[in-house]
Amino acid sequence: MCSPPTSACRVRSGWPARLWPASLLGRLTLVMVAGLLVTQLAASAIWASQLRAKAQVEAQSAARYVAHGAAGAIRFFRSLPPAYRLLIIQQLREMGGTRFFVNLNHAYVPVEAIAGQPLADSVIATVGATLRQDLPNSPGFRLAFAWPDRLAVAEHDVRLDDLPNAWVQHVLLLQPDPAPILVIQTEIEPGNWLYMAALMPNPYFLNTSDPFAWDRLMPQALSLAVVLLLCLLVVRSITRPLAALSDAAAALGQGHDEEARPLPETGSREFINTARAFSAMRERIGRYIDDRERLFISISHDLRTPITRLKLRSELLDDEALRNEFEEDLDELDMMVKGALQCVKDSDIHENPAEIRLDALLGRLVRSAQLAGHAVAFSPAGITVRGKPLALKRALGNLLDNALFYGARAEIGVAEEPGSVVISVRDHGPGVPEDALPRLFDPYVRLAHGREQNDGGMGLGLGIARGIIEAHGGRLELANHPEGGLDARVRLPASG
């Protein structure tokens, strides 16, 4: 386990993370596509092995059948006187031929054999073994498979295409789809070679043994495409309601719930129940926020009246020391009531989101600070974000006020990063101890340096700013600058 993450961990986990989609739609699609492909490939491999085994058995049986017929033809021509052989061959051709196309030559005719066909080589081996078994006294056999358009049938490079069509039309298959031809040559006596050519019982046996032929792959590809399309439609119908639920949850978390549409109660039973539960939760949260706002306003209003009466009564006390103690306690109580009311008012800003030009918004804050005699440096960047203008102005104003209260001067910078816009507000004060940084967002927490610089503050500004920024989908980061002072960085989602 890699904790904290290191460069080695990132190297080990980087490439699987890039291959694994981030969305549920992408993940379900990838899993279903991969599962279908693996299943299809496994089934195709099993089917291909069975098809090859079946083709091998059928080809061996056909090879023995052809070899026995060839052995009988060879015996017949050997038994004829040499002068009658050509006459018999001519009569056979005029009668339409027999099982074999037969010719006599004075030497072996070279044949351009089909290469790279294991099944054809196996058939040739079986035919040769069967011929040697049936004709043990033969001097030998020359066997090969060849395509008709390249087949030589006689000496002087006489090819099959040069022969009259009547000689071969009933023996060899030349049109429309040529089939491989088995050629058997043997020397029946010195200087006389018998040439025989024939088709296998299944002329296209080489095609039947190929599981990846186009006519076989096309139906499988079509069925796979249909199944994948249906799977994608099902996955999309499942994930689309989840995307709507995600958008609604994001709008609720960022305070844009008034813009969100009601979740459609359609789809599967589980999603309908989830949508109803989410809608009920959203209504409860809305009522809670409204009740909280009314409660805070009521409490603040109701408390300020008795506080004012107590202040007036404390003026009637004769003991000055006791009167001062009463006034200090009442002032502290009044400050706490005002702070609670300010926290509610600044956090619950009801306005519509819009495109905000940061140069204009920050420029107004900078000019106001400069008119008050503060030193603020700012360079326009021409960047736009989407948010609630008044709320964002209050958040950035709180950060700028802190920087001016606790530092000699402030610097504001705006920059774009991938997917986000960064607004930095840096002061040139003494900074903050590292162990105190996490506590700066707590209400009423003020460091000693802060109390010296701004004794009228209540320690609510950073908490209010963080709440507003998080409602915009961003985050507020505090860190000490390397050159001194506190650097507050606001990261907001990019407008695009």
Side-chain angles (χ1 to χ4, degrees):
M1 215 176 147
C2 297
S3 179
T6 62
S7 60
C9 296
R10 287 192 294 270
V11 170
R12 289 196 297 269
S13 61
W15 68 268
R18 288 193 295 269
L19 295 178
W20 187 243
S23 66
L24 180 60
L25 174 62
R27 292 182 177 183
L28 289 177
T29 302
L30 179 61
V31 169
M32 298 185 74
V33 169
L36 285 173
L37 289 178
V38 170
T39 304
Q40 190 78 7
L41 290 175
S44 298
I46 296 173
W47 175 70
S49 63
Q50 293 177 346
L51 182 63
R52 290 193 180 99
K54 180 182 178 182
Q56 182 73 21
V57 172
E58 292 178 351
Q60 295 296 324
S61 176
R64 286 189 287 271
Y65 169 76
V66 172
H68 289 314
I74 293 172
R75 290 195 194 97
F76 172 71
F77 281 100
R78 278 183 178 172
S79 65
L80 293 176
Y84 286 94
R85 291 170 184 165
L86 288 176
L87 179 61
I88 296 299
I89 291 175
Q90 185 62 31
Q91 289 178 350
L92 293 175
R93 290 172 180 172
E94 292 176 356
M95 293 171 58
T98 59
R99 179 74 177 78
F100 296 92
F101 167 78
V102 183
N103 195 23
L104 289 173
N105 298 300
H106 296 294
Y108 166 73
V109 177
V111 175
E112 185 177 350
I114 297 175
Q117 291 288 348
L119 186 59
D121 297 338
S122 174
V123 168
I124 289 175
T126 302
V127 171
T130 305
L131 287 175
R132 287 190 293 272
Q133 182 179 1
D134 291 350
L135 303 172
N137 298 324
S138 291
F141 304 94
R142 302 288 187 91
L143 309 175
F145 273 103
W147 295 112
D149 58 341
R150 302 176 183 177
L151 180 59
V153 296
E155 300 167 295
H156 310 295
D157 199 26
V158 177
R159 296 187 174 269
L160 188 63
D161 294 340
D162 301 329
L163 300 179
N165 189 40
W167 289 11
V168 295
Q169 63 179 351
H170 301 298
V171 180
L172 304 178
L173 185 61
L174 305 181
Q175 297 295 336
D177 187 12
I181 297 174
L182 174 64
V183 179
I184 303 174
Q185 298 186 67
T186 182
E187 191 175 23
I188 56 178
E189 57 195 22
N192 287 322
W193 283 74
L194 183 64
Y195 181 105
M196 293 189 300
L199 297 173
M200 296 293 291
N202 178 10
Y204 303 105
F205 73 102
L206 293 180
N207 295 338
T208 58
S209 66
D210 184 11
F212 302 107
W214 179 249
D215 57 344
R216 288 195 175 95
L217 290 179
M218 178 58 70
Q220 295 184 12
L222 289 177
S223 62
L224 180 61
V226 171
V227 172
L228 288 179
L229 179 60
L230 294 177
C231 290
L232 290 177
L233 292 177
V234 171
V235 170
R236 185 169 179 80
S237 67
I238 294 174
T239 56
R240 183 181 295 174
L242 295 178
L245 178 62
S246 175
D247 294 340
L252 177 63
Q254 296 178 9
H256 303 158
D257 191 50
E258 64 276 1
E259 301 177 359
R261 299 178 179 177
L263 284 176
E265 296 184 1
T266 58
S268 62
R269 180 179 58 189
E270 291 78 8
F271 177 77
I272 292 176
N273 294 336
T274 303
R276 291 174 178 173
F278 180 83
S279 299
M281 179 191 69
R282 183 165 57 185
E283 293 177 0
R284 289 195 298 270
I285 291 175
R287 289 195 299 267
Y288 166 77
I289 293 175
D290 294 339
D291 293 343
R292 184 198 68 167
E293 183 176 355
R294 287 194 295 268
L295 177 63
F296 269 88
I297 294 175
S298 299
I299 292 175
S300 300
H301 181 271
D302 294 342
L303 287 177
R304 293 182 71 177
T305 300
I307 290 173
T308 303
R309 287 201 303 266
L310 288 174
K311 283 185 177 182
L312 293 175
R313 291 174 182 175
S314 66
E315 296 292 335
L316 302 177
L317 294 175
D318 295 333
D319 189 344
E320 183 178 358
L322 182 61
R323 184 171 65 249
N324 292 335
E325 290 180 359
F326 266 101
E327 290 179 351
E328 289 179 1
D329 291 341
L330 291 174
D331 289 340
E332 183 177 352
L333 181 60
D334 187 39
M335 183 179 297
M336 293 177 64
V337 172
K338 290 180 180 178
L341 185 59
Q342 179 189 357
C343 182
V344 174
K345 287 183 177 180
D346 287 349
S347 299
D348 297 336
I349 300 177
H350 303 287
E351 57 178 329
N352 295 326
E355 295 294 327
I356 304 173
R357 293 187 296 112
L358 292 179
D359 290 348
L361 187 147
L362 294 173
R364 287 193 294 269
L365 295 176
V366 170
R367 285 193 295 272
S368 299
Q370 291 174 345
L371 289 175
H374 298 289
V376 182
F378 170 65
S379 298
I383 298 176
T384 301
V385 296
R386 183 170 179 81
K388 297 181 177 181
L390 182 57
L392 195 58
K393 181 180 179 181
R394 289 186 180 180
L396 297 176
N398 286 347
L399 297 179
L400 181 58
D401 290 342
N402 283 346
L404 295 176
F405 279 132
Y406 307 136
R409 64 185 189 278
E411 296 178 2
I412 300 179
V414 181
E416 284 186 308
E417 293 184 358
S420 63
V421 175
V422 180
I423 305 171
S424 62
V425 181
R426 178 204 169 190
D427 64 52
H428 287 262
V432 177
E434 293 294 335
D435 57 347
L437 284 174
R439 295 187 290 112
L440 291 181
F441 295 108
D442 297 339
Y444 307 112
V445 172
R446 303 178 67 227
L447 302 181
H449 174 69
R451 289 192 294 268
E452 293 173 1
Q453 299 293 326
N454 181 19
D455 57 357
M458 293 176 285
L460 298 174
L462 288 177
I464 293 173
R466 184 176 68 171
I468 293 174
I469 292 168
E470 289 180 350
H472 282 75
R475 65 180 186 271
L476 174 60
E477 303 169 350
L478 300 179
N480 288 310
H481 196 274
E483 298 178 2
L486 184 67
D487 188 13
R489 288 181 170 267
V490 177
R491 297 184 181 273
L492 296 173
S495 181

